[in-house]
Amino acid sequence: MRNFDLAPLYRATVGFDQVADLMDRVLAGEPAQNNYPPYNIEKTDESAWRISIAVAGFGADDLAVEVRENALIVTARKAEDDTESRTFLHRGIATRAFERRFHLADHVKVTGASHLDGMLHIDLVREVPEALKPRRIEISSQKPQDANLIEEKSVN
């Protein structure tokens, strides 16, 4: 296992604690995450993604999609059925309960979810607030005002 010193990151940045925590988690060698159910993450546009999860054997009522604290949480619980009364010669379709988490970046929103042909599709988009978008500042050719005069004008 490799150890990385993130001290330079902390010295040169402000507000990137979440990135550093994420790197710490990844580099710490978390226990191997369960690979069930299989999923794809697809970039559908410059600021849009789709997560597709294979959920064969689950109905829309068995699935739940929730966003909580910058995390997308997908859970499935199969309703009790009459499997005890049936005899399977081979049972390859797993319908065991699961919880799958995806960490979302700031301003990434879930725009919708659909269940079709054994696949759960979750659409996401990055919506940057207008206040955080870059804006061009006009440069004036006039004489700059004195800072003290601006404060006095705002007080009166």
Side-chain angles (χ1 to χ4, degrees):
M1 184 166 96
R2 298 179 183 153
N3 290 327
F4 291 99
D5 182 18
L6 298 178
L9 177 67
Y10 292 125
R11 286 193 304 260
T13 61
V14 175
F16 286 88
D17 301 339
Q18 292 176 345
V19 174
D21 290 344
L22 178 62
M23 290 174 58
D24 281 339
R25 270 196 310 258
V26 170
L27 296 174
E30 290 182 349
Q33 187 177 11
N34 185 1
N35 290 329
Y36 177 76
Y39 64 92
N40 293 334
I41 300 176
E42 170 187 3
K43 187 165 184 139
T44 58
D45 194 16
E46 186 65 30
S47 306
W49 301 267
R50 172 174 286 156
I51 299 172
S52 299
I53 305 172
V55 291
F58 289 99
D61 294 338
D62 300 327
L63 301 166
V65 178
E66 180 181 1
V67 177
R68 187 177 356 150
E69 299 173 6
N70 284 1
L72 170 65
I73 304 164
V74 180
T75 56
R77 304 272 182 262
K78 186 69 175 166
E80 293 297 321
D81 58 1
D82 60 348
T83 56
E84 290 82 25
S85 65
R86 299 187 299 180
T87 303
F88 290 95
L89 299 179
H90 172 74
R91 188 165 185 180
I93 300 173
T95 55
R96 63 181 181 264
F98 69 85
E99 179 178 289
R100 171 70 67 182
R101 292 177 176 262
F102 300 92
H103 294 282
L104 303 178
D106 291 337
H107 312 298
V108 173
K109 308 284 184 227
V110 175
T111 58
S114 62
H115 182 253
L116 180 67
D117 297 332
M119 298 290 290
L120 174 64
H121 301 285
I122 303 168
D123 293 315
L124 304 114
V125 67
R126 176 180 286 130
E127 294 177 351
V128 178
E130 197 64 38
L132 297 179
K133 290 182 180 176
R135 59 187 174 103
R136 185 171 179 88
I137 307 298
E138 293 296 323
I139 300 173
S140 173
S141 60
Q142 298 176 3
K143 179 182 172 190
Q145 296 179 349
D146 187 24
N148 293 335
L149 292 177
I150 293 173
E151 288 180 19
E152 290 175 11
K153 287 181 184 177
S154 64
V155 172
N156 292 330

